[in-house]
């Protein structure tokens, strides 16, 4: 158990059980917000659905982004218990030949239908209770699309072809990462959009300092505002397992425990002593990539290494997604040397820093000046795999700077940098989708727009795209379109790809090659897209290019 004897009396008086904290701060008719990703309060979300049912809570809004776990509140009790569980051997596994194949297929279909029934049942209960999510970034826990086929149309006509973002369950809040405070927590007039905020922090150390740990995002700004205005209930899970990390000067990743005293005196602070693991990705998340992901990552690394004349020395950035992370993993063995300035810090970038491939970073001061930081890494959040020592390496590490997104994920910080990011689709107009599958939101724009627009001033932007994908119904289709499918949100517009200044380069990378698309007219751009499309879809794209724009490709 954590030793609380050294804590200030006012903080110790706020310590309670999780059940007591929920009874104080979670009730019908309010909005509860929390940290995201590695700064999400995982024990809170593990127990929230049971609490909602026990207390018969209704009309509750949950503001969050990127759930790290398949919690019962997201997918229901049954699917949450199944998540991550190894598949049990079936009685048909050893049955040979066609008979075995048919039997295994039928069993798999039965399991899928059973899981689908459970998921739809959970969504129906959420709708009945009017429990909704307001999310700026979605993940696997809430982006599942109900497939559209004859059986699902008969069973679930109101749900087919939709995920939570189009069911009345999840209210997508599309905003750039640095806009989190005003977008999700406080309105422009300073009034809060929530009644309760929940987040993990490290317990106060001998100097009374507390850290936001492996991620800041908007947490720092939100909690600073709550502590100053005392207008929102704050539930903190104090956990010594989280790494103690710092920010940069006034863009801090810490607060002093005394800043919470006024909130505590107003009865608006509760503390749960927690020892749960820091949220992390499953072990081996990057060990078994698809052939397409491997090919794209290798193309990025090859291009960087073959063009050291203009790639070396730049500040490297990598975005969320397997392909980008794989590229950084492969880059460790290359001749490239440079710096790093990134939204997300993962183990492979840290390894490059430790090995001397990366020598430092920079920070944009409040007045706009760029200060070079040798021997430092700057980010706003970090990710690790379960069982790794990554978070331990961050703990009390003066070389690591984790600062608010509002100070890190800003376009001017990425001028002349080099970014590796993932996209989901692109069309002949240069419209890019990085956050949806057709009309269904799939993830979120996060920092993609701000980062890419910064890179197009003197930088290099690698946009990584798997050339094909499958629909929820299993249809294989091209990720390069004449026009993005109806209803698809756009994250980058045409000029973001075909423009650029001060020597900027925008590179579209698929498993079939790499094409520079900046500085191209539309006809040239269309030809460049088709050159890296899946060969099976190139004839169709050529016909569409002629039909729509009279372009011979």
């Amino acid at each position: 158990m954590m030793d609380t004897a050294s804590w200030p009396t006012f903080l110790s008086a706020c310590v309670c059980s999780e059940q007591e904290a929920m009874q104080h701060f979670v009730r019908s008719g309010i909005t509860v917000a929390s940290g995201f990703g590695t700064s999400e309060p995982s024990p809170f979300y593990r127990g929230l659905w049971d609490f909602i049912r026990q207390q018969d809570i209704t009309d509750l809004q949950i503001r969050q982004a990127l759930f790290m776990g398949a919690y019962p509140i997201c997918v229901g009790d049954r699917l949450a218990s199944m998540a991550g569980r190894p598949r049990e051997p079936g009685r048909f596994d050893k049955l040979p030949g066609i008979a075995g194949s048919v039997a295994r297929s039928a069993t798999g279909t039965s399991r899928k239908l059973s899981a689908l029934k459970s998921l739809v049942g959970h969504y129906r209960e959420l709708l009945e209770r009017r429990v909704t999510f307001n999310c700026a970034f979605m993940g696997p826990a809430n982006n599942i699309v109900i497939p559209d086929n004859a059986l699902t149309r008969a069973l679930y006509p109101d749900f087919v072809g939709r995920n939570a973002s189009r069911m009345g369950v999840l209210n997508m809040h599309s905003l750039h990462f640095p806009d989190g405070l005003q977008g999700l927590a406080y309105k422009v007039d300073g009034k809060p959009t929530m009644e309760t905020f929940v987040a993990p922090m490290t317990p106060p150390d001998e100097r009374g300092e507390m850290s936001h740990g492996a991620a800041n995002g908007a947490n720092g700004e939100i909690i600073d505002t709550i502590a100053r205005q005392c207008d929102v209930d704050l539930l903190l899970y104090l956990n010594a397992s989280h790494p103690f990390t710092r920010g940069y000067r006034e863009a801090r990743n810490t607060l002093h425990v005394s800043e919470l005293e006024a909130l505590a005196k107003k009865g608006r602070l509760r503390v749960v002593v927690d020892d749960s693991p820091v949220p992390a990705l499953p072990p081996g998340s990057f060990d078994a990539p698809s052939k397409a992901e491997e090919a794209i990552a290798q193309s990025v690394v090859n291009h960087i290494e073959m063009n050291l004349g203009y790639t070396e020395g730049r500040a490297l950035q990598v975005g969320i997604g397997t392909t980008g992370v794989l590229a950084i993993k492969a880059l460790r063995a290359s001749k490239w040397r440079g710096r790093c300035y990134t939204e997300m810090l993962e183990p492979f970038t840290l390894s490059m820093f430790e090995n001397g491939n990366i020598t430092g970073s920079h920070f944009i001061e409040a007045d706009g000046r760029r200060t070079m930081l040798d021997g430092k890494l700057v980010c706003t959040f970090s990710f690790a795999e379960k069982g790794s020592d990554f978070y331990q390496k961050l703990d009390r590490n003066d070389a690591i700077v984790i600062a608010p997104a509002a100070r890190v994920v800003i376009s001017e910080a990425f001028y002349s940098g080099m970014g590796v990011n993932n996209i989901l689709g692109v069309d002949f107009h240069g419209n890019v989708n990085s956050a949806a599958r057709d009309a269904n939101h799939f993830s979120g724009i996060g920092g993609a727009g701000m980062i890419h627009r910064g890179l197009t001033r003197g930088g290099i932007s690698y946009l990584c795209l798997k050339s094909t994908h499958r629909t929820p119904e299993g249809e294989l289709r091209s990720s390069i379109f004449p026009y993005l499918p109806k209803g698809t949100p756009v994250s980058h517009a045409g000029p973001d790809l075909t423009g650029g200044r001060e020597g900027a380069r925008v590179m579209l990378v698929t498993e079939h090659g790499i094409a520079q698309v900046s500085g191209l007219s539309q006809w040239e751009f269309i030809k460049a897209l088709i050159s890296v499309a899946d060969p099976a879809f190139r004839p169709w794209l050529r016909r569409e290019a002629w039909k729509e724009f009279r372009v011979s490709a």
Side-chain angles (χ1 to χ4, degrees), residues 270-325:
R270 291 291 183 277
V271 171
V272 173
V273 175
D274 179 35
D275 61 359
S276 59
V278 184
L281 299 172
S285 290
F286 305 107
D287 292 347
S290 68
K291 290 182 179 179
E293 290 168 334
E294 283 185 318
I296 294 169
Q298 195 58 55
S299 287
V300 171
V301 173
N302 289 346
H303 188 269
I304 290 172
E305 198 161 21
M306 290 171 64
N307 295 280
L308 292 176
Y310 60 79
T311 63
E312 197 158 52
R314 294 180 183 270
L316 181 66
Q317 174 269 331
V318 61
I320 293 178
T322 302
T323 307
V325 174

Side-chain angles (χ1 to χ4, degrees), residues 65-68 135 137-144 163 170 442-444:
L66 188 56
F67 281 107
M68 290 288 287
C135 289
F137 205 100
M138 297 171 65
N142 50 18
N143 67 11
I144 304 165
N163 67 10
L170 188 148
F442 183 78
S443 53

Side-chain angles (χ1 to χ4, degrees), residues 332-411:
R332 294 180 303 171
S334 77
K335 297 177 182 178
W336 180 86
R337 298 292 184 272
R339 302 175 75 83
C340 178
Y341 184 92
T342 189
E343 171 190 40
M344 174 186 76
L345 178 63
E346 32 61 47
F348 306 120
T349 297
L350 180 60
S351 173
M352 291 181 69
F353 177 70
E354 292 171 334
N355 294 340
N357 303 65
I358 291 171
T359 59
S361 190
H362 59 266
F363 205 87
I364 304 299
E365 305 286 354
D367 62 6
R369 289 178 297 115
R370 177 178 291 203
T371 297
M372 305 306 287
L373 300 177
D374 293 336
K376 303 278 189 181
L377 285 177
V378 172
C379 67
T380 190
F381 72 97
S382 60
F383 271 126
E385 293 179 331
K386 290 179 181 177
S388 75
D389 62 353
F390 177 76
Y391 293 135
Q392 286 80 9
K393 288 182 176 181
L394 301 187
D395 188 49
R396 300 282 174 181
N397 188 338
D398 291 337
I400 305 300
V401 175
I402 299 181
R407 292 294 303 278
V408 173
V409 193
I410 51 178
S411 293

Side-chain angles (χ1 to χ4, degrees), residues 36-51:
F36 88 107
T38 44
S39 63
E40 78 181 11
S42 51
F44 175 80
Y45 283 118
R46 280 196 294 270
L48 181 59
W49 185 234
D50 278 347
F51 182 79

